[in-house]
Amino acid sequence: MKKALTILIGLLLIVLAVGYFKQGVDDRQHRILKLAHGLNTQHPVHKAMAFMAKRAFELSGGDLEVQIFPSEQLGNEKECIEALQLGYLAMTKISTGPMEAFVPRIRIFGIPYLFRDGKHFWEVALGAIGKDLLVAGEAKGLRGLCYYDAGARSFYSKDKPIDSPSDLSGLKVRVMNSVMSMEMIKAMGGSPTPISWGELYTSLDQGVVDAAENNPPSFDTSRHFEICKYYNLDEHVRLPDMLVISARVWADLNKQEQKWLQQAVDESVSYERKLWIAAEEKSLETVTAGGVVVSYPDKKPFRDAVKPMWDRFLNAENKEDQAIGALIRQIQEIQ
């Protein structure tokens, strides 16, 4: 059974490779880039990527085509990242959480309450720090093209509201495959449980986990509000989404193709930020109408609970953690 599964995966990778190399490299007049991600088609970030694909096609006069495969059709976030490294997949959209395992400095985005608000986040993301982090994974085969707004993540739960860290005691909380996310839940008193996004609805419904955390549009479009009737806007972390391209594929694009693609990506960022504002407001209305109790807890107890995470990096002795500590200080100085 294991051997058969290995063969099946190998065949899938070959199909992906042929889809890119045969149509993309041999025929320079019509390049096809496959983009896979885990969101459904109603999510504002998917809509932004669809906009990007349309603009890339228009700017290139049809020479550059981005084909999008949503809803984990080609694998979960970790699998897509690995496919990019091998060059079997051209692009993917991932949260910065799972990127931590590949690019350690990306952990900076997982520091709870690092950003004062959305404005502060975008000052960092569009500035020197953000641009440097986008290309920090090139040696690992991963090149970031942009950040998409993913708002602030907050807790939602099935049986009781989470108005303070003490309410997390005894709860199994779904987290991404992210060390920083797991450390945050532990610091707040909960039990972190890594589960892929595509499996979360069933896991909540069957009681595998008691709670999860995400932004309003994701809570809404995933239909998790059908199970979880408490949404507590503690806004503990701002993890952006990243559009990432295989470093191998990027290097194979000629200068004009790179220019077309980057321009389309940059335009899609502005488009997505406008979509996001409207989507957050609409999603909160939708989940409230669906019977969810939305609350705004005092953030101070949550900030106090995660202070040891800050101290670990600010007082670090090893170089890797010291680099995160230096970034924390730089970001706090940005007005």
Side-chain angles (χ1 to χ4, degrees), residues 1 16 27 41 44 119 126 129 135 159 161 169-170 181 235 255 258 266 279 295 298 314 324-325:
M1 181 67 180
L16 286 171
D27 180 6
T41 56
K119 181 178 181 296
L126 297 177
I129 293 174
V135 297
D159 301 321
S169 179
S181 294
E235 300 182 324
K255 295 294 185 182
Q258 290 178 353
D266 293 343
S295 63
D298 181 6
L314 293 175
I324 301 295

Side-chain angles (χ1 to χ4, degrees), residues 109 115 117-126 147 149 238 240:
F109 289 112
F115 302 106
D117 50 31
K119 181 178 181 296
H120 184 208
F121 164 78
W122 281 108
E123 288 290 335
V124 174
L126 297 177
Y147 302 102
D149 198 345
R238 289 182 178 272

Side-chain angles (χ1 to χ4, degrees), residues 310-330:
W310 283 61
D311 293 340
R312 168 194 160 184
F313 294 105
L314 293 175
N315 303 316
E317 295 183 0
N318 68 75
K319 290 185 177 180
E320 197 171 272
D321 286 354
Q322 285 176 348
I324 301 295
L327 284 174
I328 290 175
R329 293 186 178 92
Q330 291 175 43

Side-chain angles (χ1 to χ4, degrees), residues 20-36:
Y20 171 68
F21 288 107
K22 182 178 180 181
Q23 301 175 71
V25 176
D26 294 341
D27 180 6
R28 291 283 178 176
Q29 297 305 307
H30 186 67
R31 170 103 53 178
I32 293 177
L33 303 177
K34 289 182 170 64
L35 190 170

Side-chain angles (χ1 to χ4, degrees), residues 42 50 140 145 147 191 202 216 220 236 274 293-294 305 315 317:
Q42 300 306 306
K140 298 289 185 67
L145 292 173
Y147 302 102
S191 177
T202 301
D220 167 21
H236 45 259
K274 294 175 184 176
V293 177
V294 178
N315 303 316
E317 295 183 0

Side-chain angles (χ1 to χ4, degrees), residues 13 16 34-37 74 76-94 99 102 140-145 242-250:
L13 292 177
L16 286 171
K34 289 182 170 64
L35 190 170
H37 67 86
L74 300 184
N76 60 33
E77 287 189 318
K78 183 175 183 293
E79 291 165 341
C80 285
I81 293 173
E82 291 171 346
L84 256 66
Q85 290 181 303
L86 295 171
Y88 294 138
L89 181 66
M91 303 166 70
T92 190
K93 189 291 305 173
I94 56 173
M99 274 287 281
F102 302 87
K140 298 289 185 67
L142 305 167
R143 179 187 177 90
L145 292 173
M242 285 180 68
L243 184 61
V244 183
I245 189 168
S246 164
R248 292 187 184 185
V249 173
W250 177 260

